[in-house]
Amino acid sequence: MMMQDVGPPTRNARATSVVLDAEFPQELPREPITQPEALPRERRGARRLAAGERWIARVLRTGAVTSGAMFITSLALELLPRDESVHVAIDLLRKGAASMLLVTPVARLAMAGTLLGLRGEWRYAAIAAGVIGLLALAVGAGFQA
């Protein structure tokens, strides 16, 4: 039994080199740019996207800072002498801080859905609206119980 050569077949077995008569210049002549790298419409879209992300970040930051300030204020009120009005203020501030922490992601979802709708991405805007609708349904059902 005879063994055959293993491996890929040889390619370009008949390739030959070609000698060119003319020399190529070291630097090719530059052609004028007929199209800019990014179209103005694409630039506007990128600016809108960045502005939308900044708005979402502002919503999240504002919710977190407000909630934290309310909670710290309630802790500072603990130093005052116990009075009915102080106790009510502490309770309201803590409940408000907890509510703010719960509402902030929902506000971010609403902001993202609105921005997606403005960009024309209707599928994702509809998904965001559906999630907000389900949250509203769950909260409504929770109040009924």
Side-chain angles (χ1 to χ4, degrees), residues 10-139:
T10 57
R11 293 188 174 169
N12 296 332
R14 290 192 247 166
T16 58
S17 61
V18 177
V19 178
L20 298 175
D21 295 332
E23 299 251 346
F24 283 111
Q26 292 294 333
E27 187 175 323
L28 296 175
R30 294 183 179 247
E31 295 180 20
I33 298 175
T34 56
Q35 288 185 333
E37 292 181 20
L39 299 174
R41 183 175 179 185
E42 293 171 353
R43 287 184 192 149
R44 276 195 310 257
R47 280 194 306 246
R48 278 191 204 143
L49 181 62
E53 290 174 357
R54 281 192 299 271
W55 274 104
I56 290 172
R58 285 179 190 143
V59 166
L60 292 173
R61 193 177 313 118
T62 302
V65 168
T66 304
S67 176
M70 291 169 78
F71 185 70
I72 290 173
T73 304
S74 75
L75 290 176
L77 289 177
E78 291 278 346
L79 301 174
L80 294 176
R82 285 290 187 183
D83 187 12
E84 184 66 30
S85 62
V86 173
H87 184 67
V88 169
I90 290 171
D91 190 45
L92 285 175
L93 282 170
R94 288 191 180 159
K95 286 180 181 177
S99 297
M100 185 67 82
L101 281 178
L102 292 173
V103 169
T104 299
V106 177
R108 183 239 182 256
L109 182 63
M111 178 72 70
T114 302
L115 292 171
L116 287 168
L118 290 174
R119 284 183 34 204
E121 297 183 22
W122 303 111
R123 175 185 284 172
Y124 299 113
I127 290 171
V131 169
I132 291 173
L134 287 173
L135 284 171
L137 184 68
V139 168

